[in-house]
Amino acid sequence: PDSPTPMVVQAEIETDLRQYAEAQNLLDQAVMLIEKKTPINKALRARAFYVSGNIEQILGHTDQAIAAYEAAWAIASAPYDPSDPWMVVPPGYILYQLGPMYLFKNQAAAALERYTQAMKIDKQDPFLYYLRGRVYRYNGRTQEAIAEFQACSAMAAQQWRCARNLGQIAFTQSDWNNVVHFFQPIISDNSQISDDYYFLGMAYAKLSKCKIAVPIIQKGAVL
């Protein structure tokens, strides 16, 4: 009964079940227990704030969600403590939620700043390159976005989010061969996103390969 770890896990499950009041109550209890223990389990504390942010975001409480995610980010971005070497909080999953919220509030600079800080913490996470590439793309800085997505793909060839963005950029540039290059592997991996089939099918159509295009477009329509 005094272990905060299962409380945080249960709170995530309650959130999935849309039992938000029960989930938040569990998180409040968990945070109190976490802060009573020495040393504080920073990873678990960050997770609790993250789940709380998810709840606030689902309920449409943007400012409260940002505050919760920022609390989690503050833990992830804290200086490394050599005396507690295993207590490292990966920033990617937190910023995946926090960054877009700043974008929705037209605060792209805040999102970009946090992504850049996170990459100083964890340069080996391809997901962070994807996140920063999205901000560059949002700001119309296409070449910088391409560089980020390419770095992401070089680190993780099956990070389809990065390939998808490269394919979409190629589509806007009418670079049909590169659209096929980036989207065909995504489709071959059984994508369930209808837009992927649209982009690939239209690229084949633009290349006058309509026999290939038609079944791809049809699959997208089914999805």
Side-chain angles (χ1 to χ4, degrees):
D2 292 330
S3 175
T5 302
M7 288 183 180
V8 174
V9 175
Q10 185 180 342
E12 290 197 68
I13 296 170
E14 297 285 5
T15 301
D16 290 340
L17 294 173
R18 302 180 184 178
Q19 303 296 325
Y20 304 124
E22 292 87 339
Q24 190 59 61
N25 182 51
L26 283 164
L27 292 171
D28 292 341
Q29 293 180 58
V31 169
M32 289 178 60
L33 289 170
I34 291 166
E35 292 178 349
K36 287 180 181 179
K37 295 182 181 292
T38 304
I40 289 177
N41 186 329
K42 292 184 289 185
L44 187 61
R45 191 164 182 259
R47 192 75 188 182
F49 285 130
Y50 168 78
V51 177
S52 182
N54 289 348
I55 294 170
E56 299 291 2
Q57 184 177 182
I58 291 167
L59 295 175
H61 304 155
T62 303
D63 291 337
Q64 294 92 324
I66 288 175
Y69 291 138
E70 282 286 1
W73 162 239
I75 297 169
S77 61
Y80 175 68
D81 183 1
S83 68
D84 195 9
W86 296 108
M87 197 53 64
V88 177
V89 180
Y93 79 93
I94 299 167
L95 294 183
Y96 180 58
Q97 298 294 342
L98 178 59
M101 300 203 76
Y102 280 125
L103 292 181
F104 295 147
K105 289 172 71 72
N106 293 317
Q107 297 177 13
L112 184 59
E113 177 187 3
R114 281 153 184 78
Y115 292 153
T116 301
Q117 290 174 335
M119 292 177 74
K120 294 177 182 178
I121 299 169
D122 189 359
K123 294 179 180 179
Q124 295 179 322
D125 185 353
F127 196 54
L128 292 174
Y129 291 87
Y130 158 72
L131 292 173
R132 192 161 70 170
R134 280 205 315 183
V135 180
Y136 285 140
R137 192 176 172 198
Y138 176 86
N139 285 338
R141 297 161 64 177
T142 304
Q143 291 306 312
E144 290 164 288
I146 289 172
E148 296 295 307
F149 296 136
Q150 286 176 336
C152 165
S153 293
M155 296 175 72
Q158 288 190 314
Q159 179 53 270
W160 298 134
R161 292 181 179 90
C162 298
R164 180 174 292 115
N165 275 269
L166 288 168
Q168 290 171 353
I169 291 170
F171 191 92
T172 64
Q173 296 173 342
S174 301
D175 185 356
W176 311 123
N177 285 308
N178 260 331
V179 175
V180 172
H181 170 75
F182 290 117
F183 274 106
Q184 187 61 66
I186 299 174
I187 299 302
S188 297
D189 200 35
N190 196 31
S191 168
Q192 296 301 297
I193 298 176
S194 60
D195 279 6
D196 293 343
Y197 293 84
Y198 166 77
F199 285 116
L200 181 61
M202 290 303 297
Y204 276 123
K206 293 291 186 179
L207 293 168
S208 300
K209 298 181 179 180
C210 293
K211 289 184 178 180
I212 301 175
V214 169
I216 294 171
I217 296 288
Q218 289 174 331
K219 176 66 181 293
V222 170
L223 290 170

